[in-house]
Amino acid sequence: MTISSFLKRASGYLHGHPAGFKALVLVTLSSGSLIAYSDSQSETDRVGLGPNQKEQKKKKVVVLGTGWAGTSFLKDIDISSYEVQVVSPRNYFAFTPLLPSVTCGTVEARSIVEPVRNIIKKRNGEIQFFEAECLKIDATNNQVLCRSNLDQNLGGNREFSLEYDYLVIAVGARVNTFNTPGVRENCYFLKEVEDAQKIRASVIDSFERAVLPGLSEEERKTHLHFVIVGGGPTGVEFAAELHDFVQEDLVTIYPMVKDLVRITLIQSGDHILNTYDERISSFAEQKFRRDGIDVRTGCRVLGVSEKSLSVKVKSHGEVYSIPHGLVVWSTGVGTRPVVSDFMEQVGQGDRRALATNEWLRVKGTENVYALGDCATIDQRKIMEDILSIFKAADQDNSGTLTVSEFQDVVDDILIRYPQVEVYLKSKHLKDVTDLLRDPEGNERESVDIEEFKSALCHVDSQAKSLPATAQVAAQQGAYLSRCFNRRQQCHELPEGPRRFTGVGQHRFRPFRYKHFGSFAPLGGEQAAAELPGDWVSMGHSTQWLWYSVYASKQVSWRTRVLVVFDWTRRFVFGRDSSRI
């Protein structure tokens, strides 16, 4: 029997079986080669749709941004249920916590970026990506207007629009200058990879400029005076990286100016790293002073010119000028223009960030979600629902609430209002029912509505905004993708808490941020860390922990290997001081 006749007979046998049955036949030839024949359900064999049956059309999801939030969402979204389109002005994801290391050549820029198209590759479909910038969100018509940021000389229309059923806004934020004169014209920022590369070139330029002949010592000092405005994690880490770069690498190749270099860190608050534990702030300030970094707290920058900046001491109002060779501005985040315009559309024009509910849906919309630095969760206060909670728990309508009745709704309260759990920890209470005790701490059999209000009136003071960090954004993206993937399932079987102001249950559990710790590298192979469980760690061992955590958090094995290689290269050969 010839192979062709064998395959023909095998095909006839397979087609005689129920649709969907698949078989694999392996035929060994005399030459030793192997032929694989597979039969699967063909288009003509599929059961046709009836006249009243229509193939369900996929919902269109448009994602704006490829930062931590957007990338985390795209990695986990099930595209078998959605048609996903991504719009971003950059075609890569950047591991932003290592940007300060890029400024000084500790790691290379390409080592911390991963092409978006590598990340969004899916086995069961395709995610469309457009390298463009979103200009406007039209919430009324469910459209976004975009413009390509590629070369203007290319043919075709650079502007286009996309329709959506669901919109995910994850465009991040821009640097907040607080409208300080001269900042945008004379300062460097540290939000993007391009910013880090510009700072690296400028640092080298400052040294090359300082060694030119014919300059006075004061002029050389000015060129080598590096000022960082902002004592948060980014500003502190850059100051530490710059100090190490100067002391470990640059002073050996620019010996004539090694004693003229100065680094100044200006902070408007009373301490640097003021969002961290007080022990970390104190440790960082002491280390910087030992290293010769001038830390000036309680100061506000009034303006920045090409060669100096004006600073006001907040305690007594003194104003003085500081000459500089380079200024890095790192003082928080501000709203991007496209987000500001959208906030006006949805009645949030008086806010500094898009307000979402606990399910990350933008307030005032039905199908728009916002993640990451461009948004903030407006946590609902328990006192707004206190009457509804009391009524739901008072099952016998007696007008009083017993401990057992309260226990029936405790789990739903803890899920719906996370500030309750935080309040319990702050008061060292073991159980929510302990809130119902009288002022002397004695148990009560029941409470009326006024006593119930009094017991919970201070809980909402623990509702705080989440920090604008990569950790928060990544968790929000992963959470929202899970909600999208389980949308139909949770529509039929809701998994969220009960609705105190309505009937039934919420479809999903609200977003809950889990803090896994935060690091603050301080230079000299030392770092500080806040770890879960209120643990604080500082010193050399913490720096090695930082290395291991940041290597493991890379988005691909390629970047993981490159970053580790860069760290190793720096230990062996030092940092590269070329202006490339």
Side-chain angles (χ1 to χ4, degrees):
M1 179 186 297
T2 64
I3 290 179
S4 59
S5 60
F6 174 82
L7 294 179
K8 185 175 181 180
R9 291 183 62 180
S11 176
Y13 170 79
L14 293 170
H15 281 293
H17 282 72
F21 177 79
K22 298 180 181 180
L24 185 69
V25 181
L26 301 179
V27 182
T28 305
L29 303 181
S30 59
S31 61
S33 62
L34 200 64
I35 290 181
Y37 175 80
S38 175
D39 180 89
S40 61
Q41 191 177 6
S42 66
E43 292 294 332
T44 56
D45 294 327
R46 293 175 184 169
V47 178
L49 294 174
N52 296 325
Q53 292 177 298
K54 292 184 179 179
E55 187 176 351
Q56 187 175 3
K57 187 178 180 181
K58 290 184 178 180
K59 296 288 188 180
K60 290 184 178 180
V61 180
V62 173
V63 181
L64 304 180
T66 53
W68 282 93
T71 300
S72 181
F73 175 83
L74 293 170
K75 285 173 63 178
D76 297 329
I77 187 68
D78 178 13
I79 61 173
S80 63
S81 304
Y82 300 97
E83 179 184 337
V84 183
Q85 297 175 321
V86 189
V87 178
S88 175
R90 61 186 191 187
N91 70 344
Y92 59 84
F93 163 81
F95 191 86
T96 51
L98 283 179
L99 284 180
S101 297
V102 175
T103 62
C104 299
T106 305
V107 299
E108 294 298 323
R110 287 192 177 276
S111 299
I112 66 166
V113 301
E114 183 71 12
V116 170
R117 295 186 185 276
N118 287 352
I119 298 174
I120 64 178
K121 286 188 299 187
K122 300 283 186 177
R123 294 181 180 178
N124 57 343
E126 180 184 2
I127 293 179
Q128 293 181 299
F129 172 75
F130 307 108
E131 185 174 346
E133 183 177 1
C134 179
L135 301 178
K136 185 178 181 61
I137 300 170
D138 185 355
T140 304
N141 298 311
N142 289 346
Q143 288 184 338
V144 290
L145 177 64
C146 309
R147 180 175 60 203
S148 170
N149 61 350
L150 300 175
D151 191 346
Q152 297 186 20
N153 295 325
L154 293 175
N157 188 2
R158 296 177 63 227
E159 293 189 358
F160 60 93
S161 62
L162 299 174
E163 296 182 349
Y164 64 82
D165 294 302
Y166 300 106
L167 177 65
V168 178
I169 305 174
V171 296
R174 62 177 180 175
V175 175
N176 192 348
T177 65
F178 300 98
N179 296 320
T180 306
V183 170
R184 294 205 175 273
E185 296 82 4
N186 302 297
C187 295
Y188 291 88
F189 306 124
L190 196 46
K191 291 288 290 180
E192 307 288 347
V193 173
E194 293 82 3
D195 296 334
Q197 292 174 314
K198 290 177 183 177
I199 292 173
R200 179 176 178 178
S202 184
V203 169
I204 301 302
D205 286 349
S206 297
F207 275 85
E208 293 292 350
R209 199 176 292 117
V211 298
L212 290 174
L215 297 179
S216 66
E217 184 170 318
E218 280 302 315
E219 289 175 321
R220 298 184 198 275
K221 285 183 178 180
T222 298
H223 289 314
L224 296 177
H225 188 193
F226 304 100
V227 180
I228 300 100
V229 181
T234 301
V236 167
E237 187 172 349
F238 171 68
E241 283 280 357
L242 181 59
H243 174 267
D244 286 355
F245 187 28
V246 171
Q247 297 301 318
E248 296 173 7
D249 301 277
L250 295 183
V251 294
T252 60
I253 55 180
Y254 299 96
M256 65 178 295
V257 294
K258 64 179 182 179
D259 297 326
L260 305 180
V261 181
R262 290 181 298 162
I263 300 175
T264 300
L265 180 63
I266 299 175
Q267 164 72 341
S268 62
D270 295 331
H271 298 280
I272 62 174
L273 297 177
N274 52 16
T275 59
Y276 285 68
D277 188 277
E278 291 181 2
R279 291 168 289 179
I280 291 180
S281 296
S282 177
F283 179 81
E285 290 174 359
Q286 292 174 13
K287 184 182 184 306
F288 276 11
R289 290 191 180 100
R290 290 195 303 269
D291 291 341
I293 298 175
D294 184 11
V295 178
R296 304 189 186 187
T297 57
C299 297
R300 185 165 67 92
V301 176
L302 301 179
V304 183
S305 67
E306 186 178 356
K307 296 183 179 180
S308 65
L309 64 161
S310 178
V311 178
K312 179 180 180 180
V313 181
K314 294 165 68 174
S315 59
H316 51 76
E318 177 189 356
V319 178
Y320 60 94
S321 179
I322 301 178
H324 69 79
L326 178 148
V327 180
V328 174
W329 188 274
S330 177
T331 60
V333 295
T335 308
R336 294 189 183 275
V338 64
V339 176
S340 298
D341 177 74
F342 180 65
M343 290 167 64
E344 293 286 347
Q345 293 183 49
V346 296
Q348 297 186 22
D350 58 340
R351 301 184 64 95
R352 291 186 293 180
L354 269 172
T356 73
N357 62 15
E358 297 86 341
W359 292 269
L360 307 184
R361 180 169 55 80
V362 175
K363 290 193 166 184
T365 69
E366 294 296 328
N367 58 347
V368 181
Y369 299 83
L371 319 174
D373 295 355
C374 68
T376 182
I377 297 176
D378 193 1
Q379 176 62 49
R380 189 170 179 84
K381 293 177 171 52
I382 194 170
M383 293 306 292
E384 295 178 15
D385 301 331
I386 195 71
L387 294 176
S388 301
I389 295 172
F390 187 89
K391 184 177 180 180
D394 184 18
Q395 299 176 359
D396 58 2
N397 296 320
S398 63
T400 60
L401 194 64
T402 65
V403 172
S404 60
E405 286 178 328
F406 185 51
Q407 286 177 331
D408 290 338
V409 297
V410 160
D411 290 339
D412 293 305
I413 289 175
L414 291 175
I415 295 173
R416 183 68 183 84
Y417 311 96
Q419 62 266 38
V420 175
E421 186 174 351
V422 178
Y423 182 78
L424 293 177
K425 289 181 180 179
S426 68
K427 296 299 181 181
H428 306 289
L429 301 176
K430 295 181 179 180
D431 192 81
V432 182
T433 56
D434 292 339
L435 294 172
L436 302 186
R437 296 175 181 268
D438 64 21
E440 287 74 33
N442 300 317
E443 293 185 3
R444 291 187 284 202
E445 292 184 1
S446 62
V447 293
D448 59 24
I449 183 60
E450 294 303 323
E451 292 170 328
F452 189 61
K453 287 182 180 178
S454 177
L456 297 174
C457 64
H458 299 296
V459 168
D460 289 325
S461 63
Q462 299 298 318
K464 296 181 175 133
S465 299
L466 296 176
T469 63
Q471 191 175 166
V472 172
Q475 291 186 30
Q476 288 179 338
Y479 164 82
L480 188 62
S481 66
R482 287 196 300 270
C483 292
F484 270 65
N485 295 342
R486 295 169 54 85
R487 184 179 295 275
Q488 185 59 39
Q489 179 182 348
C490 291
H491 177 72
E492 299 169 358
L493 297 172
E495 64 180 13
R498 68 186 296 177
R499 297 178 183 269
F500 291 112
T501 57
V503 295
Q505 292 176 257
H506 290 283
R507 183 182 296 187
F508 307 105
R509 295 171 69 94
F511 172 74
R512 181 72 65 91
Y513 169 63
K514 295 181 181 179
H515 185 61
F516 294 112
S518 52
F519 289 89
L522 302 174
E525 294 303 311
Q526 295 191 59
E530 281 184 339
L531 303 175
D534 294 328
W535 284 85
V536 171
S537 176
M538 296 172 285
H540 293 286
S541 60
T542 309
Q543 178 69 25
W544 286 100
L545 178 62
W546 179 85
Y547 283 134
S548 62
V549 170
Y550 274 39
S552 66
K553 292 297 182 183
Q554 297 297 316
V555 295
S556 71
W557 274 103
R558 185 189 70 85
T559 56
R560 190 171 294 125
V561 170
L562 288 175
V563 165
V564 172
F565 177 79
D566 285 346
W567 286 332
T568 305
R569 172 186 50 77
R570 196 267 294 182
F571 276 114
V572 177
F573 300 108
R575 299 170 180 83
D576 183 8
S577 61
S578 61
R579 194 194 180 279
I580 298 178

